Amino acid sequence: SSPGESPHQGGRDAMRSSIALVLCAWAAMAVLGTGITVGVSIPAMEKKCYGEQAAKMELLVVELSSNSDAKVGVSVLSPHATIFQEHDRSQVKTAFTTTEPGPHWVCISNDAQTSAEVLLKVMLGPEAKDYSQIAKKEHLEESQIALRRVEESLRSYHSNVLYIRAREERMRKTNDSTATRVIFFCLFNVVLMIGVGGWQMLYFKRFFRSKKII
């Protein structure tokens, strides 16, 4: 410690810094945290879907339980494939790592003649990990765990931003290409109309001359 500063004062400052660091970490996680927990009422012979935006190589956990032991069907869909599918289940829990970025959907179908009440929980990225086990395995302190969760949340957020930016770029290129095609099509129509109009004028001029009308 510096001259004039007691060891107790330095310890208190360090403690304040650690507490502030942990609070900032938890605040960031509250902003960046992803996942949903929702009670769903599914009418008879209907289906409902809920989606979450996921980055590539991100942990996704889906838990579902029926309040009345009703049997429902559950399917998890990636942007281009069906990842998980079960039928006639009152409880479901599955976890997997995404293989492509984009929206992932959890669909619940009720094929019974009565409505079903279910509780759906979807956890994504850092929210899906058990950090207590990680802390025990790697002997990490609470502040280190909080910082790791923030780091992974920021990494997930950054991956989603890159995906959205790439999708917007593809959409912009598609719009530009479509606009260019529309412009060329309009120009072609104008040229075609002018050409047909000129041909009609010449045809009728020759016709009237042959009939000695003009």
Short mmCIF file of all heavy atoms in Angstrom, two decimals, residues 156-196:
data_model
loop_
_atom_site.label_atom_id
_atom_site.label_comp_id
_atom_site.label_asym_id
_atom_site.label_seq_id
_atom_site.Cartn_x
_atom_site.Cartn_y
_atom_site.Cartn_z
N SER A 156 -21.98 -14.47 -27.49
CA SER A 156 -23.23 -14.87 -28.13
C SER A 156 -23.90 -13.67 -28.80
O SER A 156 -24.38 -13.76 -29.94
CB SER A 156 -24.17 -15.49 -27.11
OG SER A 156 -25.44 -15.76 -27.67
N TYR A 157 -23.91 -12.53 -28.09
CA TYR A 157 -24.51 -11.32 -28.65
C TYR A 157 -23.78 -10.88 -29.92
O TYR A 157 -24.41 -10.52 -30.93
CB TYR A 157 -24.48 -10.21 -27.61
CG TYR A 157 -24.98 -8.88 -28.09
CD1 TYR A 157 -26.33 -8.64 -28.23
CD2 TYR A 157 -24.09 -7.86 -28.42
CE1 TYR A 157 -26.80 -7.41 -28.68
CE2 TYR A 157 -24.54 -6.63 -28.87
CZ TYR A 157 -25.90 -6.41 -29.00
OH TYR A 157 -26.34 -5.21 -29.45
N HIS A 158 -22.45 -10.95 -29.88
CA HIS A 158 -21.66 -10.56 -31.04
C HIS A 158 -21.93 -11.49 -32.22
O HIS A 158 -22.05 -11.03 -33.38
CB HIS A 158 -20.17 -10.59 -30.67
CG HIS A 158 -19.26 -10.15 -31.77
ND1 HIS A 158 -18.49 -11.04 -32.50
CD2 HIS A 158 -19.00 -8.92 -32.29
CE1 HIS A 158 -17.79 -10.38 -33.41
NE2 HIS A 158 -18.09 -9.10 -33.32
N SER A 159 -22.05 -12.79 -31.96
CA SER A 159 -22.35 -13.74 -33.04
C SER A 159 -23.71 -13.45 -33.65
O SER A 159 -23.87 -13.50 -34.88
CB SER A 159 -22.31 -15.18 -32.50
OG SER A 159 -21.03 -15.50 -32.01
N ASN A 160 -24.70 -13.12 -32.81
CA ASN A 160 -26.02 -12.80 -33.34
C ASN A 160 -25.99 -11.53 -34.17
O ASN A 160 -26.67 -11.42 -35.20
CB ASN A 160 -27.02 -12.65 -32.19
CG ASN A 160 -27.45 -13.98 -31.62
OD1 ASN A 160 -27.52 -14.98 -32.34
ND2 ASN A 160 -27.71 -14.02 -30.33
N VAL A 161 -25.21 -10.53 -33.71
CA VAL A 161 -25.09 -9.29 -34.48
C VAL A 161 -24.47 -9.55 -35.85
O VAL A 161 -24.93 -9.03 -36.86
CB VAL A 161 -24.27 -8.25 -33.69
CG1 VAL A 161 -23.91 -7.06 -34.58
CG2 VAL A 161 -25.06 -7.75 -32.47
N LEU A 162 -23.42 -10.38 -35.88
CA LEU A 162 -22.79 -10.72 -37.16
C LEU A 162 -23.76 -11.46 -38.07
O LEU A 162 -23.79 -11.21 -39.29
CB LEU A 162 -21.54 -11.57 -36.91
CG LEU A 162 -20.37 -10.87 -36.21
CD1 LEU A 162 -19.22 -11.85 -36.01
CD2 LEU A 162 -19.90 -9.66 -37.01
N TYR A 163 -24.56 -12.35 -37.50
CA TYR A 163 -25.54 -13.09 -38.30
C TYR A 163 -26.59 -12.14 -38.88
O TYR A 163 -26.93 -12.21 -40.07
CB TYR A 163 -26.21 -14.17 -37.45
CG TYR A 163 -27.43 -14.76 -38.10
CD1 TYR A 163 -27.33 -15.68 -39.14
CD2 TYR A 163 -28.71 -14.39 -37.67
CE1 TYR A 163 -28.45 -16.22 -39.74
CE2 TYR A 163 -29.84 -14.93 -38.27
CZ TYR A 163 -29.71 -15.83 -39.30
OH TYR A 163 -30.82 -16.36 -39.89
N ILE A 164 -27.09 -11.24 -38.04
CA ILE A 164 -28.10 -10.28 -38.50
C ILE A 164 -27.52 -9.36 -39.56
O ILE A 164 -28.17 -9.05 -40.57
CB ILE A 164 -28.65 -9.48 -37.31
CG1 ILE A 164 -29.44 -10.40 -36.37
CG2 ILE A 164 -29.54 -8.33 -37.78
CD1 ILE A 164 -29.87 -9.73 -35.09
N ARG A 165 -26.26 -8.95 -39.36
CA ARG A 165 -25.62 -8.08 -40.36
C ARG A 165 -25.46 -8.80 -41.68
O ARG A 165 -25.70 -8.22 -42.76
CB ARG A 165 -24.27 -7.62 -39.83
CG ARG A 165 -23.55 -6.63 -40.74
CD ARG A 165 -22.21 -6.24 -40.15
NE ARG A 165 -22.37 -5.58 -38.85
CZ ARG A 165 -21.34 -5.25 -38.08
NH1 ARG A 165 -20.10 -5.53 -38.46
NH2 ARG A 165 -21.56 -4.65 -36.92
N ALA A 166 -25.04 -10.08 -41.63
CA ALA A 166 -24.88 -10.84 -42.87
C ALA A 166 -26.23 -11.05 -43.55
O ALA A 166 -26.33 -10.97 -44.78
CB ALA A 166 -24.22 -12.19 -42.56
N ARG A 167 -27.28 -11.31 -42.76
CA ARG A 167 -28.61 -11.48 -43.35
C ARG A 167 -29.10 -10.19 -43.99
O ARG A 167 -29.70 -10.21 -45.08
CB ARG A 167 -29.58 -11.95 -42.28
CG ARG A 167 -30.96 -12.30 -42.81
CD ARG A 167 -31.83 -12.89 -41.74
NE ARG A 167 -32.06 -11.94 -40.66
CZ ARG A 167 -32.82 -12.20 -39.59
NH1 ARG A 167 -33.37 -13.40 -39.47
NH2 ARG A 167 -32.99 -11.29 -38.65
N GLU A 168 -28.85 -9.06 -43.32
CA GLU A 168 -29.25 -7.78 -43.89
C GLU A 168 -28.49 -7.50 -45.19
O GLU A 168 -29.05 -6.94 -46.14
CB GLU A 168 -29.01 -6.66 -42.89
CG GLU A 168 -29.98 -6.67 -41.71
CD GLU A 168 -29.70 -5.57 -40.72
OE1 GLU A 168 -28.63 -4.93 -40.85
OE2 GLU A 168 -30.53 -5.34 -39.83
N GLU A 169 -27.22 -7.90 -45.21
CA GLU A 169 -26.43 -7.70 -46.43
C GLU A 169 -26.99 -8.54 -47.58
O GLU A 169 -27.09 -8.07 -48.72
CB GLU A 169 -24.97 -8.07 -46.17
CG GLU A 169 -24.04 -7.89 -47.35
CD GLU A 169 -23.85 -6.43 -47.75
OE1 GLU A 169 -24.15 -5.54 -46.91
OE2 GLU A 169 -23.41 -6.17 -48.87
N ARG A 170 -27.37 -9.80 -47.27
CA ARG A 170 -27.98 -10.64 -48.31
C ARG A 170 -29.29 -10.05 -48.80
O ARG A 170 -29.58 -10.04 -50.00
CB ARG A 170 -28.19 -12.06 -47.78
CG ARG A 170 -26.93 -12.85 -47.55
CD ARG A 170 -27.23 -14.33 -47.39
NE ARG A 170 -28.16 -14.60 -46.30
CZ ARG A 170 -27.78 -14.84 -45.05
NH1 ARG A 170 -26.50 -14.84 -44.73
NH2 ARG A 170 -28.68 -15.09 -44.11
N MET A 171 -30.09 -9.55 -47.86
CA MET A 171 -31.38 -8.95 -48.24
C MET A 171 -31.16 -7.69 -49.08
O MET A 171 -31.90 -7.45 -50.04
CB MET A 171 -32.19 -8.62 -46.99
CG MET A 171 -32.67 -9.84 -46.23
SD MET A 171 -33.58 -9.42 -44.74
CE MET A 171 -34.99 -8.58 -45.44
N ARG A 172 -30.15 -6.90 -48.73
CA ARG A 172 -29.86 -5.70 -49.51
C ARG A 172 -29.44 -6.06 -50.92
O ARG A 172 -29.90 -5.43 -51.90
CB ARG A 172 -28.76 -4.88 -48.83
CG ARG A 172 -28.50 -3.53 -49.49
CD ARG A 172 -27.30 -2.85 -48.88
NE ARG A 172 -26.08 -3.61 -49.12
CZ ARG A 172 -25.40 -3.57 -50.27
NH1 ARG A 172 -25.82 -2.81 -51.27
NH2 ARG A 172 -24.30 -4.28 -50.41
N LYS A 173 -28.59 -7.09 -51.06
CA LYS A 173 -28.17 -7.51 -52.39
C LYS A 173 -29.35 -8.04 -53.19
O LYS A 173 -29.46 -7.78 -54.39
CB LYS A 173 -27.08 -8.58 -52.28
CG LYS A 173 -25.73 -8.05 -51.77
CD LYS A 173 -24.70 -9.14 -51.71
CE LYS A 173 -23.35 -8.60 -51.23
NZ LYS A 173 -22.33 -9.68 -51.15
N THR A 174 -30.23 -8.78 -52.51
CA THR A 174 -31.42 -9.29 -53.19
C THR A 174 -32.31 -8.14 -53.65
O THR A 174 -32.83 -8.14 -54.78
CB THR A 174 -32.20 -10.23 -52.26
OG1 THR A 174 -31.35 -11.31 -51.87
CG2 THR A 174 -33.43 -10.78 -52.96
N ASN A 175 -32.50 -7.15 -52.78
CA ASN A 175 -33.32 -5.99 -53.16
C ASN A 175 -32.70 -5.22 -54.31
O ASN A 175 -33.41 -4.78 -55.23
CB ASN A 175 -33.50 -5.07 -51.94
CG ASN A 175 -34.37 -5.69 -50.87
OD1 ASN A 175 -35.18 -6.57 -51.15
ND2 ASN A 175 -34.21 -5.23 -49.64
N ASP A 176 -31.37 -5.03 -54.26
CA ASP A 176 -30.70 -4.33 -55.35
C ASP A 176 -30.84 -5.09 -56.66
O ASP A 176 -31.08 -4.49 -57.72
CB ASP A 176 -29.22 -4.12 -55.02
CG ASP A 176 -29.02 -3.14 -53.88
OD1 ASP A 176 -29.98 -2.41 -53.54
OD2 ASP A 176 -27.91 -3.10 -53.30
N SER A 177 -30.68 -6.41 -56.59
CA SER A 177 -30.80 -7.22 -57.81
C SER A 177 -32.22 -7.15 -58.35
O SER A 177 -32.43 -7.02 -59.57
CB SER A 177 -30.42 -8.67 -57.49
OG SER A 177 -30.63 -9.50 -58.61
N THR A 178 -33.21 -7.23 -57.44
CA THR A 178 -34.61 -7.15 -57.88
C THR A 178 -34.91 -5.79 -58.50
O THR A 178 -35.59 -5.70 -59.54
CB THR A 178 -35.55 -7.40 -56.69
OG1 THR A 178 -35.25 -8.68 -56.12
CG2 THR A 178 -36.99 -7.38 -57.13
N ALA A 179 -34.42 -4.72 -57.87
CA ALA A 179 -34.66 -3.38 -58.40
C ALA A 179 -34.02 -3.22 -59.78
O ALA A 179 -34.62 -2.63 -60.69
CB ALA A 179 -34.10 -2.33 -57.44
N THR A 180 -32.82 -3.77 -59.96
CA THR A 180 -32.15 -3.69 -61.27
C THR A 180 -32.95 -4.42 -62.34
O THR A 180 -33.13 -3.92 -63.46
CB THR A 180 -30.74 -4.27 -61.17
OG1 THR A 180 -29.99 -3.56 -60.18
CG2 THR A 180 -30.02 -4.16 -62.51
N ARG A 181 -33.46 -5.61 -61.97
CA ARG A 181 -34.26 -6.37 -62.94
C ARG A 181 -35.55 -5.64 -63.29
O ARG A 181 -35.97 -5.63 -64.45
CB ARG A 181 -34.57 -7.75 -62.37
CG ARG A 181 -33.35 -8.64 -62.22
CD ARG A 181 -33.72 -9.97 -61.60
NE ARG A 181 -32.54 -10.81 -61.42
CZ ARG A 181 -32.57 -12.03 -60.86
NH1 ARG A 181 -33.73 -12.53 -60.45
NH2 ARG A 181 -31.46 -12.72 -60.72
N VAL A 182 -36.18 -5.02 -62.30
CA VAL A 182 -37.41 -4.28 -62.56
C VAL A 182 -37.15 -3.10 -63.48
O VAL A 182 -37.93 -2.82 -64.42
CB VAL A 182 -38.04 -3.80 -61.23
CG1 VAL A 182 -39.17 -2.82 -61.48
CG2 VAL A 182 -38.57 -4.99 -60.43
N ILE A 183 -36.02 -2.40 -63.25
CA ILE A 183 -35.67 -1.26 -64.12
C ILE A 183 -35.46 -1.72 -65.56
O ILE A 183 -35.97 -1.11 -66.52
CB ILE A 183 -34.43 -0.55 -63.57
CG1 ILE A 183 -34.76 0.16 -62.25
CG2 ILE A 183 -33.90 0.45 -64.58
CD1 ILE A 183 -33.56 0.74 -61.54
N PHE A 184 -34.70 -2.81 -65.74
CA PHE A 184 -34.46 -3.31 -67.10
C PHE A 184 -35.76 -3.79 -67.74
O PHE A 184 -35.97 -3.59 -68.95
CB PHE A 184 -33.42 -4.44 -67.07
CG PHE A 184 -32.01 -3.97 -67.01
CD1 PHE A 184 -31.20 -4.22 -65.91
CD2 PHE A 184 -31.46 -3.24 -68.07
CE1 PHE A 184 -29.90 -3.77 -65.86
CE2 PHE A 184 -30.15 -2.78 -68.03
CZ PHE A 184 -29.36 -3.05 -66.91
N PHE A 185 -36.63 -4.40 -66.95
CA PHE A 185 -37.91 -4.85 -67.49
C PHE A 185 -38.77 -3.67 -67.93
O PHE A 185 -39.41 -3.71 -69.00
CB PHE A 185 -38.65 -5.68 -66.44
CG PHE A 185 -39.97 -6.22 -66.91
CD1 PHE A 185 -40.03 -7.27 -67.80
CD2 PHE A 185 -41.15 -5.66 -66.45
CE1 PHE A 185 -41.25 -7.76 -68.24
CE2 PHE A 185 -42.37 -6.15 -66.86
CZ PHE A 185 -42.42 -7.21 -67.77
N CYS A 186 -38.77 -2.59 -67.14
CA CYS A 186 -39.53 -1.39 -67.51
C CYS A 186 -38.96 -0.76 -68.78
O CYS A 186 -39.71 -0.34 -69.67
CB CYS A 186 -39.51 -0.39 -66.36
SG CYS A 186 -40.44 -0.91 -64.89
N LEU A 187 -37.62 -0.68 -68.85
CA LEU A 187 -37.01 -0.13 -70.05
C LEU A 187 -37.33 -0.97 -71.28
O LEU A 187 -37.59 -0.44 -72.37
CB LEU A 187 -35.49 -0.03 -69.85
CG LEU A 187 -35.00 1.01 -68.83
CD1 LEU A 187 -33.50 0.93 -68.66
CD2 LEU A 187 -35.40 2.43 -69.27
N PHE A 188 -37.31 -2.29 -71.09
CA PHE A 188 -37.65 -3.18 -72.21
C PHE A 188 -39.09 -2.95 -72.66
O PHE A 188 -39.38 -2.92 -73.87
CB PHE A 188 -37.45 -4.64 -71.78
CG PHE A 188 -37.93 -5.63 -72.79
CD1 PHE A 188 -37.20 -5.89 -73.94
CD2 PHE A 188 -39.13 -6.30 -72.59
CE1 PHE A 188 -37.66 -6.80 -74.88
CE2 PHE A 188 -39.59 -7.22 -73.52
CZ PHE A 188 -38.85 -7.47 -74.67
N ASN A 189 -40.01 -2.77 -71.69
CA ASN A 189 -41.40 -2.51 -72.04
C ASN A 189 -41.55 -1.20 -72.81
O ASN A 189 -42.32 -1.09 -73.78
CB ASN A 189 -42.28 -2.47 -70.78
CG ASN A 189 -42.58 -3.85 -70.25
OD1 ASN A 189 -42.49 -4.83 -70.98
ND2 ASN A 189 -42.92 -3.94 -68.98
N VAL A 190 -40.80 -0.16 -72.36
CA VAL A 190 -40.86 1.13 -73.04
C VAL A 190 -40.35 1.00 -74.47
O VAL A 190 -40.98 1.49 -75.44
CB VAL A 190 -40.06 2.18 -72.26
CG1 VAL A 190 -39.93 3.46 -73.09
CG2 VAL A 190 -40.71 2.48 -70.92
N VAL A 191 -39.20 0.34 -74.64
CA VAL A 191 -38.65 0.16 -75.98
C VAL A 191 -39.59 -0.66 -76.85
O VAL A 191 -39.81 -0.37 -78.04
CB VAL A 191 -37.26 -0.50 -75.89
CG1 VAL A 191 -36.75 -0.88 -77.28
CG2 VAL A 191 -36.27 0.43 -75.20
N LEU A 192 -40.18 -1.71 -76.24
CA LEU A 192 -41.11 -2.56 -76.99
C LEU A 192 -42.34 -1.76 -77.42
O LEU A 192 -42.80 -1.87 -78.58
CB LEU A 192 -41.52 -3.75 -76.13
CG LEU A 192 -42.47 -4.76 -76.78
CD1 LEU A 192 -41.82 -5.40 -78.01
CD2 LEU A 192 -42.88 -5.83 -75.78
N MET A 193 -42.88 -0.93 -76.54
CA MET A 193 -44.06 -0.14 -76.88
C MET A 193 -43.74 0.86 -77.98
O MET A 193 -44.53 1.08 -78.91
CB MET A 193 -44.58 0.57 -75.64
CG MET A 193 -45.19 -0.36 -74.60
SD MET A 193 -45.66 0.48 -73.08
CE MET A 193 -46.93 1.57 -73.69
N ILE A 194 -42.57 1.50 -77.87
CA ILE A 194 -42.16 2.45 -78.93
C ILE A 194 -42.01 1.73 -80.26
O ILE A 194 -42.45 2.22 -81.31
CB ILE A 194 -40.87 3.16 -78.52
CG1 ILE A 194 -41.12 4.07 -77.31
CG2 ILE A 194 -40.32 3.97 -79.69
CD1 ILE A 194 -39.86 4.70 -76.75
N GLY A 195 -41.37 0.54 -80.21
CA GLY A 195 -41.19 -0.22 -81.45
C GLY A 195 -42.51 -0.65 -82.06
O GLY A 195 -42.72 -0.53 -83.28
N VAL A 196 -43.42 -1.17 -81.23
CA VAL A 196 -44.72 -1.59 -81.74
C VAL A 196 -45.52 -0.41 -82.27
O VAL A 196 -46.17 -0.48 -83.32
CB VAL A 196 -45.51 -2.33 -80.62
CG1 VAL A 196 -46.94 -2.59 -81.06
CG2 VAL A 196 -44.82 -3.64 -80.28
#
